Amino acid sequence: MELKNLYREIVNEHNLYPAHKGEMEGATLELNGVNPSCGDDITLQLKIDDNDMVTDGMFYGSGCAVSQASTDMMLDLIIGKSRKEALEYIFRFMGMVRSTATAEEIESLEESASLEDIAHMPARVKCATLGWKTLKKMLGEGEG
């Protein structure tokens, strides 16, 4: 199977069968993120424990396949990680979509690396980064 087709399938799978879509009870943090240029609108919810570990995460809302899949893949990546590690993944993902990340940084993004070609589609970058920018703002690190 061609690599681009595999990546397309990964995005499609996360869009059609997201593991983390729904509302969470008892979220520690919750923040809405909107992409006004295309109407993507998500609310990200996290549970962070006393040791600053992300113990669970969910999102709800609507948007294009790219925004939904990207947010779901992001949650796969950060659940079980510390706040500091989550911020590092945000940095790597943003570097990937800006074409400044190293091959190692991209590889560390696991399935989220399937969005690497988004860097060549400027209109879709905002879709792919919505969940990540919302997470960054949620964790107190600004807009992105």
Side-chain angles (χ1 to χ4, degrees):
M1 175 180 288
E2 187 180 321
L3 197 55
K4 283 188 181 196
N5 287 338
L6 176 63
Y7 288 162
R8 198 172 294 121
E9 279 192 28
I10 291 169
V11 170
N12 214 24
E13 187 75 16
H14 278 276
N15 176 52
L16 295 174
Y17 309 105
H20 305 289
K21 191 164 186 179
E23 292 192 50
M24 174 191 301
E25 294 210 15
T28 311
L29 298 171
E30 183 171 324
L31 187 65
N32 181 251
V34 177
N35 177 1
S37 63
C38 71
D40 297 332
D41 185 344
I42 63 159
T43 298
L44 186 61
Q45 299 174 303
L46 294 180
K47 287 185 182 177
I48 298 183
D49 70 13
D50 293 339
N51 296 318
D52 241 8
M53 297 295 287
V54 178
T55 60
D56 201 3
M58 298 286 284
F59 75 100
Y60 62 92
S62 60
C64 68
V66 171
S67 72
Q68 302 293 290
S70 182
T71 302
D72 196 57
M73 288 186 274
M74 174 193 75
L75 287 167
D76 272 351
L77 195 59
I78 67 159
I79 292 171
K81 305 290 191 302
S82 69
R83 179 187 299 250
K84 183 179 176 184
E85 288 170 308
L87 289 166
E88 180 59 30
Y89 282 121
I90 296 166
F91 173 79
R92 292 174 188 174
F93 187 84
M94 294 304 187
M96 179 183 75
V97 298
R98 293 179 182 134
S99 298
T100 60
T102 66
E104 266 184 359
E105 289 171 330
I106 293 169
E107 188 176 323
S108 76
L109 292 169
E110 299 175 9
E111 285 187 326
S112 297
S114 65
L115 295 167
E116 183 177 9
D117 280 344
I118 291 290
H120 307 295
M121 299 175 245
R124 304 305 298 211
V125 169
K126 287 183 180 180
C127 304
T129 59
L130 176 61
W132 297 84
K133 286 183 175 182
T134 304
L135 176 64
K136 186 175 182 186
K137 190 173 182 182
M138 178 186 274
L139 297 179
E141 293 295 321
E143 291 287 333

